[in-house]
Amino acid sequence: MANSGFQLLGYFLALGGWIGIISTTVLPQWKQSSYAGDAIIMAVGLYEGLWMSCASQSTGQVQCKIFDSLLSLDVHIQTCRALMVISVLMGFIAIIVSVVGMKCTKVGDNNPSTKSKIAIAGGSLFLISGVCTLVAVSWYATQVSNHFFDPNTPINARYEFGPALFVGWAAAILMMLGGSFLCCSCVNEDSRGQQLYRQSQPSTAREDELLSETSFPD
């Protein structure tokens, strides 16, 4: 019963992380214009994400422009796009696989050993998905940081971390925690089953010896 609760906890943590990864992928606020130092505070705030750049005016009006050309984008943006899409797809597959492998579901094979292996596979996919998101968000943040501290960058052209990066870090942590919980609960269950099987072996062997030593009169 405890393992089932542990699996459910891991599943819902990973599910929340997957929703956060989708939000991070589509949000345009991966970086936002900086007003640090002597930068002039403008009435327009600039944002940029993986798919579009936006300008937010003080009146509340927001105008966005989707990146038209793929080849003209920087390498880190193209790579982050690929990593985030892979992360979303792998998370979706992991959700389906984990449902089949959890003890509390009646989907698929009812063999506990088989379901445990399937749950471990789902947890591993969650882990890989979280790592892809973590790499993408951290790499993008590194590029923003390097550009910010570059002395050749004009003050009014500097950007800082946007809210989407923090959502991505939180989502990656949730995804990896959920995948770890799924894998650990199944590994503990398998090891416990093997120990019980090994403990039962000597008694069975002892019974066989007693039966072999028993002789019946002719």
Side-chain angles (χ1 to χ4, degrees):
M1 198 67 173
N3 282 337
S4 298
F6 204 55
Q7 285 181 345
L8 277 175
L9 175 61
Y11 180 80
F12 283 113
L13 284 175
L15 182 62
W18 183 67
I19 296 173
I21 289 173
I22 295 176
S23 302
T24 303
T25 305
V26 300
L27 282 174
Q29 291 92 354
W30 279 59
K31 65 179 182 180
Q32 60 187 4
S33 53
S34 173
Y35 304 111
D38 297 329
I40 300 175
I41 299 178
M42 300 177 295
V44 178
L46 302 178
Y47 303 93
E48 188 174 313
L50 299 179
W51 314 96
M52 65 184 72
S53 59
C54 298
S56 175
Q57 299 180 2
S58 59
T59 58
Q61 185 179 3
V62 179
Q63 295 179 342
C64 296
K65 182 181 182 300
I66 298 176
F67 297 142
D68 297 325
S69 176
L70 175 64
L71 298 179
S72 64
L73 295 175
D74 295 335
V75 176
H76 74 278
I77 296 180
Q78 297 182 22
T79 307
C80 290
R81 274 186 178 185
L83 287 173
M84 295 303 294
V85 171
I86 291 173
S87 180
V88 171
L89 293 177
M90 292 190 68
F92 178 73
I93 297 173
I95 289 172
I96 298 175
V97 173
S98 298
V99 168
V100 177
M102 287 194 299
K103 291 176 60 180
C104 58
T105 61
K106 301 298 182 182
V107 183
D109 196 341
N110 291 327
N111 186 354
S113 178
T114 303
K115 289 182 74 70
S116 179
K117 293 177 181 178
I118 295 175
I120 291 176
S124 301
L125 289 175
F126 278 133
L127 284 172
I128 297 174
S129 177
V131 170
C132 288
T133 300
L134 186 63
V135 171
V137 175
S138 299
W139 189 7
Y140 195 97
T142 301
Q143 295 296 324
V144 173
S145 179
N146 292 338
H147 190 265
F148 182 88
F149 291 107
D150 187 355
N152 296 323
T153 303
I155 295 178
N156 292 334
R158 294 179 179 179
Y159 286 85
E160 294 184 356
F161 297 162
L165 294 182
F166 299 100
V167 175
W169 277 316
I173 292 173
L174 286 177
M175 183 74 85
M176 290 188 292
L177 276 177
S180 300
F181 286 174
L182 277 172
C183 293
C184 291
S185 63
C186 297
V187 169
N188 291 336
E189 183 179 353
D190 288 345
S191 61
R192 190 180 300 112
Q194 292 177 359
Q195 289 178 358
L196 291 175
Y197 177 76
R198 290 173 181 173
Q199 290 175 359
S200 63
Q201 284 297 99
S203 60
T204 304
R206 197 177 300 112
E207 291 176 359
D208 293 339
E209 291 177 1
L210 291 175
L211 289 175
S212 61
E213 291 176 358
T214 304
S215 60
F216 297 94
D218 295 335

